[in-house]
């Protein structure tokens, strides 16, 4: 497998890998579509390109525009071909950025939530995103909110033996 750096990737590939490294909780467990991988990637890509968060979102501010969804699918296919992510079978339960046996809180759409195979590159992509002034506050808010959701899930018995 070839070694990649964040600058070797398309901006959408880089945004997706960085978002997958953030550790978002499943959107159903969070109770908000704003935790969906496609939503967060669309906002991050839009902020990185224009400084505006909603360029790739539908009028409701939650769903992703079809054109961006297609770009995201192409990015996932490209990352899969490069050996950096792996698409999951439909209906497999997963947490953001990886697979955890027994997590049945959110069913994954494999076009939007692949498994990261190169965690080092994914971390580098996340650091790249944090260095974009327009993106940093948004990702920090998602990270902080994710911590609250994960804390609530654990208090409710998630991940206890």
């Amino acid at each position: 497998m070839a070694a990649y750096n964040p600058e070797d990737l398309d901006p959408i590939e880089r945004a997706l890998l960085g978002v997958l490294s953030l550790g978002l909780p499943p959107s159903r467990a969070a109770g908000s579509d704003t935790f969906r991988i496609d939503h967060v990637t669309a906002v991050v890509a839009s902020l990185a390109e224009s400084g505006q968060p909603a360029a790739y979102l539908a009028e409701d501010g939650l769903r992703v525009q079809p054109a961006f969804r297609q770009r995201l699918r192409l990015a996932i296919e490209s990352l899969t071909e490069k050996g950096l992510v792996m698409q999951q079978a439909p209906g497999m339960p997963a947490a953001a950025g990886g697979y955890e046996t027994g997590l049945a809180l959110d069913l994954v759409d494999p076009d939007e939530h692949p498994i990261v195979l190169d965690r080092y590159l994914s971390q580098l992509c996340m650091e790249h995103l944090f260095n974009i002034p327009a993106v940093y506050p948004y990702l920090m808010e998602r990270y902080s909110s994710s911590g609250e959701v994960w804390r609530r899930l654990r208090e409710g018995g998630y991940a206890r033996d």
Side-chain angles (χ1 to χ4, degrees), residues 50-67:
S50 69
Q52 300 299 315
Y56 298 126
L57 298 178
E59 288 183 25
D60 65 5
L62 294 175
R63 290 177 293 130
V64 173
Q65 292 177 356

Side-chain angles (χ1 to χ4, degrees), residues 49-142:
E49 290 175 12
S50 69
Q52 300 299 315
Y56 298 126
L57 298 178
E59 288 183 25
D60 65 5
L62 294 175
R63 290 177 293 130
V64 173
Q65 292 177 356
F68 183 82
R69 181 174 303 283
Q70 181 59 28
R71 286 180 65 193
L72 186 60
R73 285 185 177 134
L74 292 173
I76 292 169
E77 289 173 12
S78 175
L79 291 170
T80 301
E81 289 171 11
K82 292 173 184 168
L84 302 174
V85 302
M86 179 177 68
Q87 295 188 48
Q88 296 188 74
M92 291 297 293
Y99 177 79
E100 290 185 35
T101 304
L103 178 60
L105 296 169
D106 208 9
L107 295 180
V108 172
D109 178 344
D111 290 327
E112 297 163 14
H113 201 301
I115 296 171
V116 175
L117 299 176
D118 188 335
R119 293 231 177 251
Y120 179 73
L121 178 60
S122 180
Q123 284 292 126
L124 290 177
C125 289
M126 183 178 68
E127 289 175 22
H128 172 83
L129 295 174
F130 277 134
N131 286 321
I132 302 171
V135 174
Y136 181 82
Y138 173 72
L139 282 183
M140 286 308 295
E141 185 281 325
R142 290 290 77 193

